[in-house]
């Protein structure tokens, strides 16, 4: 597998990560227009609750 064949895969990953991937992580809120903000907020809160409960 040469570098040229990795470029489309890398581009797809970076594109996904910079749009949908931000919300999936639950670490921050995306500015992407098409993001499902309620789902992202639920994921964000769930991660915060989980982190809080394991630290106390």
């Amino acid at each position: 597998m040469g570098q040229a064949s990795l470029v489309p895969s890398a581009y797809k990953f970076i594109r996904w990560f910079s749009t949908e991937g931000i919300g999936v992580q639950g670490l921050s809120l995306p500015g992407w227009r098409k993001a499902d903000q309620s789902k992202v907020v639920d994921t964000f809160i769930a991660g915060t609750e989980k982190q809080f409960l394991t630290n106390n």
Side-chain angles (χ1 to χ4, degrees):
M1 188 185 277
Q3 282 186 329
S5 63
L6 294 177
V7 172
S9 297
Y11 175 79
K12 286 179 185 178
F13 172 75
I14 295 298
R15 185 70 179 156
W16 173 84
F17 186 78
S18 66
T19 56
E20 297 173 54
I22 298 293
V24 171
Q25 291 180 63
L27 299 174
S28 60
L29 301 173
W32 186 44
R33 233 181 243 173
K34 295 180 183 179
D36 182 354
Q37 294 296 335
S38 62
K39 184 176 179 183
V40 170
V41 169
D42 288 344
T43 303
F44 187 78
I45 291 172
T48 303
E49 287 176 341
K50 187 177 184 180
Q51 186 177 24
F52 178 75
L53 293 174
T54 57
N55 287 335
N56 288 327

